[in-house]
Amino acid sequence: MEKKTTVTIIGAGFAGLAAAALLAKDGCDVTVIEKNEMAGGRARSWQKDCFLFDMGPSWYWMPDVFENYYNLFGKTTSDFYTLKRLNPSYRIYFGKKDTIDVPATLDDLYDLFEKLEPGSSKNLKHFLEQAKYKYEVGMNEYVFKPSHSVMEYFDPRLAISGIKLQLLGNMRQHVHQLFKNERLRKLLEFPVLFLGATPQHTPALYSLMNYADLVLGTWYPMGGMHKIVAAMQHLAESEGVKFIFDTEVTKIEVKNNLAEYVITKNGNFKSDFVVGNADYHYIDQHLFDKPYRNYNEKYWEKRTMAPSCLLFYVGLNKKLNNLLHHNLFFDEDFDQHAKEIYTHPQWPSKPLFYVCCPSITDKSVAPEGCENLFFLIPVAPDLPDNESKREEYFNLLLKRFKDLTGNDIGDHILFKRSYAMNDFVTDYHAFKGNAYGLANTLKQTAFLKPKMKSKVTNFLYTGQLTVPGPGVPPAIISGQVVAKEIKKKLKKA
Ligand SMILES: Cc1cc2nc3c(=O)[nH]c(=O)nc-3n(C[C@H](O)[C@H](O)[C@H](O)COP(=O)(O)OP(=O)(O)OC[C@H]3O[C@@H](n4cnc5c(N)ncnc54)[C@H](O)[C@@H]3O)c2cc1C
């Protein structure tokens, strides 16, 4: 019998899971080694009493990416979970009793724009047509490229589309040229928060995220975001992937330019290929010896990291008013907060924040009469992080939350758990405690991102620090791309 190609994958985040199942489906013998006790990486879940928290992602955008992935296995999303489109998609608080609910239908959205800025629905149509073009070209022509070299982008068709993709303009100019109303501008600039850079430093290309937001919609997998993790783990196991949890990789030993052993306290693993889904910087700088590193510390120090975050998971013994599933609190100055993340990194003086309340949509995540709350403040990575700082911000959140929504929750908290930079480092070896990897600035896009390819011939990187970038859908795509690269190598061999 022909010997199967063996693959070891370091890390069971979305990228690792996506690659694992595809490689196993193609006949490889795949083992995933994961440091933590469960799969999902930044999207792990946390159960406390009868509350179930998603620890990371809460926005299910780009449902086409998930559906396409499941289709590769002859499955569809509804085989794994019920997907519900949220309507309204989310609420933005600009002040007390000053809110916008972003509707899920385009007609309602045009009405909202007209109400806030007469005549602006025409501009919105134009803006969304451009965004659709960018999304479609991006998804069909760009994101699945391994981006080993700039040469992959030397194609006359791509050069023409490159102009229409507005790679050189930035999001701030693009939005401000078309819209005058401050609220509408904030609404359209918000998705770049996901990409972890200021609108001034994010290429206008990324208005494709507005298409994802306003046209493709905000969805929720009933049961929670970890249902996606469970689906992907199930697919991988069905294809024969073996998972080893609670096992940290401490070194990758290289011989003859090949990753020979993946070292863990539970033994050493030898395989034909190794895929690194753990944080790129950690593998590059800590698991490989110096000659096999793609970059040096100076390179990493110069990267613009996406923000980290200060998070609170809160179990509440009462139901709340004036809240939707997703709530953005934009009552303070975004530019000031952005400066305190990127230009002069420091704890923010007047932070914007986000509150997710999934128990509004899903009874299964909190006991009857209770609410499951997730607070998020984006902060600069690498800030000094300690309990008293976290507590200071929790008190600030409680006050602002009460002033803006009228919900006084101080006496109704059954428990709370905080999570920030130190936890990202301890749990995921996150460089500077980052939450979302690298910021998507022009200089860190496509072939300018840390490379998938390694100096070590049988090793490839995947995940949010390499192509195509941060976010759950890109991480899944990254896993797909790396699986394809291994298949290509096998064909050549
Ligand atoms: C708070 C938060 C909110 C977010 N919100 C959203 C959202 O709403 N929507 C969205 O699309 N995206 C969101 N994101 C981003 C998204 O979660 C990530 O981009 C994505 O999950 C990254 O997946 P990954 O596979 O690249 O990496 P990871 O999830 O980090 O997986 C890497 C895995 O490697 C493991 N590992 C690390 N070191 C080792 C080692 N030495 N040995 C073995 N294993 C190791 C880690 O434990 C981890 O499981 C959010 C992220 C955070 C943190």
Side-chain angles (χ1 to χ4, degrees):
M1 205 171 76
E2 204 181 321
K3 185 185 163 292
K4 278 186 165 187
T5 302
T6 50
V7 183
T8 304
I9 299 185
I10 306 171
F14 281 114
L17 289 170
L22 284 172
L23 286 165
K25 180 173 166 280
D26 278 336
C28 297
D29 183 348
V30 183
T31 303
V32 180
I33 304 175
E34 167 55 51
K35 172 180 181 298
N36 291 314
E37 72 291 1
M38 65 173 88
R42 282 159 164 85
R44 285 179 303 153
S45 57
W46 177 58
Q47 170 108 39
K48 168 85 179 160
D49 305 331
C50 292
F51 292 81
L52 187 55
F53 294 88
D54 282 313
M55 293 186 70
S58 52
W59 298 74
Y60 192 109
W61 277 9
M62 304 162 75
D64 47 324
V65 173
F66 300 88
E67 179 61 17
N68 291 342
Y69 182 76
Y70 299 140
N71 290 169
L72 297 174
F73 299 86
K75 302 278 183 197
T76 182
T77 306
S78 60
D79 289 331
F80 302 109
Y81 43 82
T82 303
L83 204 51
K84 184 171 174 178
R85 181 153 185 186
L86 302 180
N87 189 9
S89 301
Y90 49 96
R91 173 169 293 171
I92 305 179
Y93 270 91
F94 293 104
K96 194 175 176 179
K97 296 195 176 150
D98 180 3
T99 59
I100 286 184
D101 286 355
V102 178
T105 67
L106 276 177
D107 284 344
D108 290 341
L109 190 68
Y110 293 136
D111 287 349
L112 172 73
F113 270 63
E114 280 299 320
K115 208 167 89 193
L116 291 173
E117 184 181 327
S120 65
S121 64
K122 200 166 133 255
N123 284 353
L124 178 63
K125 271 187 196 132
H126 175 60
F127 179 87
L128 289 178
E129 271 160 23
Q130 286 180 310
K132 178 175 193 265
Y133 176 80
K134 292 172 193 174
Y135 187 85
E136 285 170 355
V137 173
M139 294 306 282
N140 295 328
E141 313 263 2
Y142 284 81
V143 291
F144 284 92
K145 284 189 183 296
S147 296
H148 298 316
S149 141
V150 65
M151 295 308 287
E152 290 168 37
Y153 294 80
F154 279 158
D155 170 339
R157 275 176 322 119
L158 292 189
I160 295 162
S161 57
I163 298 164
K164 285 169 83 181
L165 291 173
Q166 297 182 303
L167 285 168
L168 298 177
N170 67 52
M171 272 301 287
R172 172 62 50 95
Q173 292 160 345
H174 185 40
V175 169
H176 281 225
Q177 269 161 12
L178 291 170
F179 305 96
K180 291 193 179 57
N181 181 282
E182 270 313 310
R183 281 163 174 60
L184 296 182
R185 286 175 168 182
K186 281 187 179 162
L187 161 62
L188 294 172
E189 286 183 353
F190 137 71
V192 303
L193 281 178
F194 271 66
L195 303 163
T198 59
Q200 297 93 318
H201 289 103
T202 304
L205 161 72
Y206 287 105
S207 71
L208 64 86
M209 293 297 282
N210 296 105
Y211 179 74
D213 168 8
L214 301 173
V215 182
L216 299 181
T218 299
W219 300 76
Y220 175 77
M222 293 303 284
M225 294 292 281
H226 58 275
K227 287 277 178 188
I228 317 165
V229 177
M232 292 180 64
Q233 184 176 347
H234 173 80
L235 276 178
E237 284 171 339
S238 314
E239 297 292 343
V241 174
K242 292 181 278 301
F243 284 88
I244 303 177
F245 292 110
D246 279 318
T247 301
E248 176 166 353
V249 173
T250 51
K251 191 169 172 51
I252 303 166
E253 259 181 29
V254 179
K255 200 172 165 192
N256 298 330
N257 222 37
L258 291 171
E260 193 176 46
Y261 287 110
V262 168
I263 313 285
T264 79
K265 67 175 189 314
N266 298 328
N268 303 340
F269 294 79
K270 192 173 166 63
S271 54
D272 301 315
F273 289 95
V274 181
V275 174
N277 170 220
D279 265 41
Y280 197 127
H281 167 270
Y282 188 75
I283 298 178
D284 189 48
Q285 298 295 304
H286 296 276
L287 298 187
F288 277 125
D289 283 337
K290 208 168 177 182
Y292 308 110
R293 293 175 189 164
N294 274 2
Y295 306 101
N296 55 29
E297 273 299 350
K298 218 161 126 195
Y299 167 90
W300 285 108
E301 277 308 320
K302 283 192 179 157
R303 295 310 91 195
T304 308
M305 300 310 292
S308 188
C309 13
L310 171 57
L311 305 166
F312 295 97
Y313 312 103
V314 180
L316 217 62
N317 69 3
K318 73 162 185 173
K319 295 303 271 181
L320 298 179
N321 301 314
N322 305 327
L323 221 55
L324 296 183
H325 186 123
H326 296 294
N327 310 272
L328 298 161
F329 292 82
F330 287 0
D331 51 312
E332 297 288 0
D333 182 9
F334 174 64
D335 288 346
Q336 179 59 29
H337 189 176
K339 260 186 220 152
E340 291 163 344
I341 295 175
Y342 298 102
T343 327
H344 303 292
Q346 58 190 284
W347 280 95
S349 43
K350 292 176 179 173
L352 311 184
F353 62 98
Y354 159 64
V355 177
C356 183
C357 187
S359 42
I360 287 179
T361 311
D362 185 351
K363 285 194 172 72
S364 76
V365 298
E368 175 115 33
C370 295
E371 220 76 275
N372 172 320
L373 286 182
F374 168 96
F375 288 84
L376 183 156
I377 306 179
V379 291
D382 220 12
L383 290 180
D385 169 20
N386 55 55
E387 268 316 309
S388 67
K389 219 13 140 189
R390 294 182 185 194
E391 204 51 29
E392 181 187 324
Y393 278 88
F394 189 64
N395 290 328
L396 177 149
L397 284 175
L398 289 190
K399 180 171 180 332
R400 293 253 304 275
F401 189 68
K402 178 179 161 204
D403 291 348
L404 292 160
T405 69
N407 290 300
D408 189 356
I409 61 172
D411 292 336
H412 297 276
I413 295 173
L414 296 169
F415 60 86
K416 77 163 194 289
R417 174 183 175 185
S418 67
Y419 199 96
M421 284 69 82
N422 289 351
D423 303 292
F424 282 107
V425 174
T426 311
D427 289 351
Y428 311 117
H429 292 305
F431 180 48
K432 298 187 175 179
N434 81 81
Y436 324 112
L438 285 180
N440 272 349
T441 59
L442 186 59
K443 287 185 189 157
Q444 298 183 158
T445 295
F447 53 87
L448 299 173
K449 273 194 194 298
K451 298 275 183 232
M452 226 171 215
K453 256 189 189 164
S454 158
K455 284 182 184 170
V456 176
T457 5
N458 65 342
F459 187 93
L460 286 150
Y461 290 92
T462 189
Q464 64 173 7
L465 275 112
T466 182
V467 287
V472 178
I476 293 174
I477 291 170
S478 188
Q480 289 176 240
V481 176
V482 94
K484 204 165 165 193
E485 287 304 293
I486 290 183
K487 265 186 263 169
K488 273 198 236 161
K489 278 177 181 265
L490 282 173
K491 271 195 192 138
K492 275 191 202 156

